[in-house]
Amino acid sequence: MSILLFGVSHRSAPVSVLEQLSTDESDQAKIVDQVLESSLVTEAMVLSTCNRVEVYAVVDAFHGGLSAIGQVLSEHSGMPLHDLTQYAYVRYAEAAVEHLFAVTSGLDSAVIGEQQVLGQVRRAYAAAEANRTVGRTLHELSQRALSVGKRVHAETGIDAAGASVVSVALQTAEKKLGSLAGRTAVVVGAGSMGALATKHLGRAGVGRVDVINRSLPRARRLADNSCELGLASAAHSLDDIASVLVDADVVVTCTGAVRPVVSLADVHRALSSREQSAPAAECGRPLVICDLGMPRDVDPAIAGLPGVFVIDMDRIQREPAARAAASDAEAARGIVAAEVAHYLAGQRMAEVTPTVTALRRRAASVVEAELLRLDNRLPGLDSTHRDEVARTVRRVVDKLLHAPTVRVKQLASSPGGDSYAEALRELFELDQQAVDALAAGELPLAPAVTEFDSATNDFEKTE
C-alpha cells in the first residue's frame, strides 16, 4: 500500500476553480466517506485551506485509487473529471510525503512561510482521526509532517520573511491608503482569520474595528477581546453590513461562506450614505476591501466601483512580500529534504521488520523441532546436558542469523530496499501470509529474541 495525493491549489488553478472545490467540514467528511467506499482505498483525509483542496489516501493500486478520488471530487465540484484533471496535480509514494512536509512548513503557501497552514494540517488530521478514517500510515505521516513544520518555523527565519496572508493584504492596503493609523476598519468573519486580522489591524494602529459576523455572540466575543487589548471595537450582525461600511476605510473579509457576503448593493448603499453625510473634504475617500475568503466573500462586480479597491487572493500571491527571502526558503527546503529522507528510511526499515521477525520465528520453530527430535532419540539425556545442547543450538542459529538480519535492515533503509526483504523471504521460504499478519499487527511483532552484543561478542535475550 502507498500514499496517493490528489490536489488542486493556487499554484495549479485560478481562484474560480478553487471556489468550486471549496469545502466545509461536512463536505470534507462526505468526500472522505465516498473515497473510502472504494475497495482500493484504506485510509483518507482532506486538507482544505484558502488556497488548496487535497485528498491524501492510502491505496492498494495507483490508477484505481486515483480514479476513485478524482470521481468524488468531480461530483463534489460539479466539474467534469476531464476539466478537473487539467488543474489537478498528483503525487505518489515518496513525492506525496515530500509535498505534505513542504505544505506543512509553509513552503507551498501563497505567502511563503505562513504559519496558519500548520494549524490547518493539524485540524485536517484531527478531523480524520475523530472520524476514524486514518490508520497507521496517515497517522505516522501526519504526525511527522506537523513535527517537520514546527522545526522549520523554529530553525529558520521563514516566519519573518513570509508574513501571513492578512499582513500582506494590509501592507497592500497601506499602499492605497497610506498609514492605517487612526483609520476605521471592518472585519467580516469572527473565526481564526478574523481574530488574526484584528490583531494585525491593532498593530497597524487603526483607531477602531467593527466586527461583523452571522452569529452576533461570536462577533461580540472577538470585539470584547479586541477591547481588552486596547482597540476600540464593536460587534454587528451581518444584516448591518451596509451601515457599518459607511465609515470604513479598510475592510477585511474572511468567512467560511460558500457565496459572497458583501454584495454590490451593500457597498452602493454605503458609498451613497458616505457622500451624503461626509464633509466635502472627505468626499471620494477610498475604500479598500481585502477579500481573504475562499470562495470569495466579495461580489467581483464591486471592484469596478469608483474609489473602491479590492485586494483578493490572486493579487496577494503576486506581491513581493508574499515571497520569503531566498536564503530562508532554501534553509527550510534543506530541512524538509532531510526529514523526508529520514522518514522514508524509517518507513523502509519498518516494512522489513515483519520479514525479519518471521525469519526469527521460523528459526525458533526449527530449533524447537530439532530439540524435540533429540528428546525422542535420547530420552535418557539428563536435563543439565539437554539445556546445554539447547543453548548451544540456539546460539549457533542466532549467530548465523545475526549478519543477514542486521544487514537487511541497513540495506532496507536505502531507496529500493524493499527488494532485500523480498530476497530474504525467498531464500528462507518464509510464509508471505505470516509476514502480512505480522505487518498488520495480527501477531506480536517483537517476541522475545536474542540480540547480538558486538561489544562482548555475545548474545543477550531481550523482550
Side-chain angles (χ1 to χ4, degrees):
M1 293 185 290
S2 295
I3 300 166
L4 173 65
L5 158 65
F6 185 103
V8 178
S9 77
H10 63 100
R11 295 188 183 278
S12 65
V15 172
S16 59
V17 172
L18 290 172
E19 287 178 326
Q20 289 182 261
L21 281 164
S22 63
T23 65
D24 56 25
E25 290 184 5
S26 62
D27 291 330
Q28 293 162 26
K30 291 176 184 177
I31 288 172
V32 169
D33 287 343
Q34 290 175 331
V35 167
L36 288 173
E37 289 177 2
S38 169
S39 61
L40 299 174
V41 181
T42 57
E43 302 177 35
M45 74 175 188
V46 174
L47 173 60
S48 179
T49 73
C50 291
N51 297 308
R52 75 184 65 251
V53 175
E54 296 178 342
V55 177
Y56 292 84
V58 177
V59 300
D60 289 330
F62 173 79
H63 292 291
L66 182 62
S67 177
I69 297 170
Q71 190 59 48
V72 170
L73 288 181
S74 173
E75 293 173 1
H76 165 74
S77 64
M79 296 177 63
L81 183 57
H82 174 73
D83 294 342
L84 175 62
T85 53
Q86 293 182 17
Y87 300 105
Y89 47 87
V90 176
R91 305 287 186 272
Y92 188 59
E94 297 179 5
V97 173
E98 182 178 15
H99 182 83
L100 181 58
F101 285 11
V103 167
T104 310
S105 300
L107 286 169
D108 197 60
S109 299
V111 180
I112 293 180
E114 67 165 325
Q115 287 193 13
Q116 276 190 293
V117 71
L118 191 61
Q120 292 163 336
V121 172
R122 184 180 294 108
R123 286 191 293 274
Y125 164 68
E129 187 180 40
N131 293 328
R132 300 181 181 277
T133 63
V134 294
R136 188 169 117 186
T137 301
L138 286 184
H139 167 76
E140 292 179 355
L141 175 65
S142 300
Q143 290 295 325
R144 181 60 69 86
L146 292 169
S147 175
V148 172
K150 291 177 183 177
R151 183 187 168 194
V152 165
H153 287 291
E155 297 182 14
T156 72
I158 199 169
D159 288 349
S164 72
V165 169
V166 174
S167 65
V168 173
L170 293 181
Q171 288 171 17
T172 308
E174 285 185 315
K175 295 176 182 178
K176 299 292 184 183
L177 295 172
S179 172
L180 296 181
R183 301 277 187 176
T184 298
V186 174
V187 174
V188 183
S192 59
M193 283 283 283
L196 187 63
T198 58
K199 289 181 181 179
H200 278 277
L201 288 164
R203 292 171 188 157
V206 298
R208 174 187 174 86
V209 171
D210 289 295
V211 180
I212 299 176
N213 197 65
R214 195 178 303 277
S215 167
L216 187 56
R218 291 193 68 180
R220 285 174 177 156
R221 281 196 295 271
L222 180 53
D224 290 343
N225 290 339
S226 298
C227 288
E228 291 175 4
L229 296 175
L231 177 60
S233 304
H236 309 271
S237 71
L238 202 55
D239 295 335
D240 300 328
I241 192 167
S243 59
V244 175
L245 290 178
V246 172
D247 297 322
D249 295 300
V250 59
V251 180
V252 180
T253 69
C254 40
T255 77
V258 296
R259 57 182 59 85
V261 296
V262 181
S263 70
L264 182 63
D266 289 331
V267 178
H268 258 307
R269 287 197 297 271
L271 294 178
S272 297
S273 298
R274 175 184 293 188
E275 290 178 1
Q276 293 172 7
S277 60
E282 292 188 14
C283 287
R285 180 162 53 104
L287 172 64
V288 177
I289 302 177
C290 304
D291 185 0
L292 310 184
M294 185 61 64
R296 292 182 178 92
D297 285 328
V298 177
D299 186 334
I302 292 173
L305 295 175
V308 178
F309 302 95
V310 177
I311 301 168
D312 60 13
M313 293 303 299
D314 283 336
R315 171 67 181 275
I316 290 171
Q317 291 168 22
R318 296 194 297 269
E319 287 297 316
R323 303 182 183 89
S327 60
D328 292 315
E330 190 61 30
R333 291 188 184 96
I335 291 174
V336 167
E339 289 284 358
V340 168
H342 183 66
Y343 172 83
L344 294 174
Q347 290 297 302
R348 286 189 287 264
M349 288 186 67
E351 288 173 4
V352 80
T353 297
T355 298
V356 172
T357 302
L359 175 57
R360 289 190 175 277
R361 286 177 177 275
R362 173 73 181 279
S365 67
V366 170
V367 169
E368 293 305 318
E370 289 303 316
L371 291 175
L372 181 60
R373 286 185 62 194
L374 180 65
D375 291 339
N376 291 333
R377 297 178 68 174
L378 298 174
L381 189 65
D382 64 77
S383 60
T384 300
H385 290 97
R386 198 267 185 195
D387 291 344
E388 183 60 35
V389 171
R391 282 194 295 270
T392 299
V393 172
R394 290 192 179 102
R395 287 168 65 87
V396 170
V397 171
D398 284 337
K399 286 185 177 182
L400 288 173
L401 289 181
H402 174 72
T405 54
V406 169
R407 187 60 177 148
V408 78
K409 286 184 177 181
Q410 294 172 343
L411 294 170
S413 65
S414 60
D418 54 345
S419 61
Y420 295 104
E422 183 179 353
L424 203 64
R425 291 193 294 270
E426 288 293 328
L427 288 171
F428 289 92
E429 295 184 337
L430 299 179
D431 183 359
Q432 184 63 53
Q433 291 184 346
V435 175
D436 292 341
L438 287 165
E442 297 172 7
L443 293 173
L445 191 59
V449 297
T450 52
E451 294 294 341
F452 186 72
D453 185 343
S454 58
T456 62
N457 196 36
D458 205 351
F459 291 83
E460 292 184 357
K461 191 173 184 179
T462 60
E463 297 295 329

